[in-house]
Amino acid sequence: MQQSPRLLAIDIDGTLLPPEGKVTQRTIDALLRAQEAGIHIAIATGRRHCYALRVLREIGLAPHNTLISSNGAVLRNFNHELLHRSTLARDTSLWLAQHLADFRDTLVLTFDLVGPDGEDARGALVVEHLDHLHQSINRWMVANEPYISHVNPIEDALTGDSPIQAMLCGTIDHMQQAEAHLLAHEHVYSANHDSLERLHTARVAIHRTEYPERDLCIVDILPAGCSKGIALERLAHSLSLPMGQTLAVGDNWNDLSMLQTAGSAALMANAPPDLLALAHRHGWRVLPSHAEEGVAHLLEDLLSTAK
């Protein structure tokens, strides 16, 4: 790594969070030591702010650090102060609901209803159908029940505030079909593999996250121009830091934009094989898996080098 990073962006699921679902004490200690060394910690996740806090509260990071949530659509500090928010325009959201007619049973709309304490209100998540989602992401559905509103038709939820994102969940094969259906339209841009030229005509950007061992795929649909990478650039600019002093750590395709944008990048060993191949081509560091405290390994190396 060319420069010692002053801004560190870390994904949650599959990266910071081990399979057991609780950040290890070793990783917590390493994060707090990095903070003490003057590194700004940004947690960059596909989770919305409220759901990410379930993992992050136990760490005890200082309020000035940043939570990049919903794959870059929202930035808040750890005091829950809003720094930036992007939303899907109402006409775009209505178009998506119609365009995804064959996939509406997998659709979730997310609204940013975060209060001063960081908690959401019911209606932060809106679904039209429950059965399919309970089959594919039952644990998530149960954990988020206090925030879910069942609205049929889902268009009725689009009369007030605009959503920050839409999400499709299902098997990898079914979500590949949904992604192909979306990408067939000129107004849809893939943050995973499309050229930047297509972004100029896009109304929405899609981000894919895959978990092959669970046969689960999540397709997040965000306003065009939203990504973890763009959010990282926005944050670095606000902190007056050059991108050369940023380091991104992730494990999945929705992390690709920040891995490519950051001054340096590290990928978890539990990443999908084709993403690991990409890491080797780019010369990114490959860390031990999330089950082996890969983030702690990285931080300990950084801190020992900085001494």
Side-chain angles (χ1 to χ4, degrees):
M1 298 174 185
Q2 299 288 322
Q3 300 184 54
S4 178
R6 294 178 59 197
L7 170 55
L8 177 61
I10 310 171
D11 171 56
I12 291 182
D13 295 283
T15 302
L16 185 66
L17 197 63
E20 295 77 18
K22 184 177 175 63
V23 181
T24 67
Q25 189 60 51
R26 177 185 175 188
T27 302
I28 291 173
D29 292 343
L31 283 166
L32 295 178
R33 285 175 56 212
Q35 176 183 267
E36 291 170 5
I39 298 174
H40 187 99
I41 307 296
I43 303 299
T45 178
R47 295 182 182 219
R48 70 190 193 286
H49 185 88
C50 169
Y51 196 50
L53 288 177
R54 296 192 176 196
V55 173
L56 302 176
R57 281 194 176 98
E58 65 191 37
I59 296 175
L61 288 167
H64 70 271
N65 292 298
T66 307
L67 177 51
I68 299 170
S69 58
S70 296
N71 280 321
V74 179
L75 284 78
R76 281 187 165 87
N77 61 29
F78 276 64
N79 261 349
H80 322 303
E81 176 188 1
L82 182 65
L83 306 176
H84 174 84
R85 175 170 55 212
S86 298
T87 58
L88 288 166
R90 182 175 182 273
D91 61 340
T92 299
S93 302
L94 290 168
W95 170 77
L96 275 171
Q98 295 300 314
H99 188 62
L100 292 168
D102 292 338
F103 302 94
R104 282 168 72 120
D105 60 345
T106 74
L107 178 63
V108 181
L109 296 179
T110 302
F111 295 82
D112 187 32
L113 302 183
V114 172
D117 61 352
E119 273 295 309
D120 276 336
R122 188 174 292 279
L125 302 168
V126 175
V127 303
E128 184 176 81
H129 302 283
L130 295 167
D131 290 348
H132 182 93
L133 291 165
H134 273 293
Q135 291 172 13
S136 59
I137 51 170
N138 183 66
R139 187 169 61 180
W140 183 90
M141 291 288 287
V142 171
N144 285 282
E145 191 283 329
Y147 315 109
I148 296 173
S149 290
H150 181 206
V151 180
N152 192 353
I154 204 166
E155 287 87 348
D156 287 351
L158 297 170
T159 58
D161 293 339
S162 296
I164 52 175
Q165 74 168 86
M167 177 179 74
L168 304 174
C169 302
T171 65
I172 292 176
D173 180 67
H174 194 43
M175 291 300 97
Q176 285 176 343
Q177 295 174 42
E179 186 177 23
H181 177 69
L182 284 163
L183 289 175
H185 199 283
E186 64 178 348
H187 289 160
V188 180
Y189 165 84
S190 171
N192 297 129
H193 57 71
D194 270 335
S195 65
L196 290 175
E197 287 75 16
R198 183 159 179 165
L199 180 58
H200 298 312
T201 61
R203 295 164 66 181
V204 298
I206 61 175
H207 303 252
R208 182 179 76 252
T209 311
E210 288 186 2
Y211 301 98
E213 69 282 0
R214 297 163 57 190
D215 191 21
L216 174 65
C217 181
I218 298 169
V219 177
D220 289 310
I221 307 169
L222 287 90
C226 267
S227 70
K228 291 185 180 184
I230 291 173
L232 180 59
E233 288 184 319
R234 180 175 285 118
L235 177 59
H237 178 76
S238 73
L239 296 171
S240 299
L241 293 177
M243 290 304 293
Q245 293 183 2
T246 64
L247 167 60
V249 191
D251 78 299
N252 222 304
W253 288 105
N254 65 327
D255 300 313
L256 181 60
S257 62
M258 72 172 182
L259 294 169
Q260 292 175 324
T261 301
S264 54
L267 188 69
M268 308 299 289
N270 49 283
D274 42 357
L275 188 54
L276 282 167
L278 188 64
H280 290 302
R281 288 200 297 274
H282 283 293
W284 299 338
R285 179 173 176 175
V286 176
L287 302 173
S289 75
H290 64 319
E292 300 169 301
E293 301 178 298
V295 170
H297 279 273
L298 173 67
L299 292 173
E300 289 163 359
D301 285 351
L302 288 174
L303 294 166
S304 64
T305 302
K307 287 182 178 179

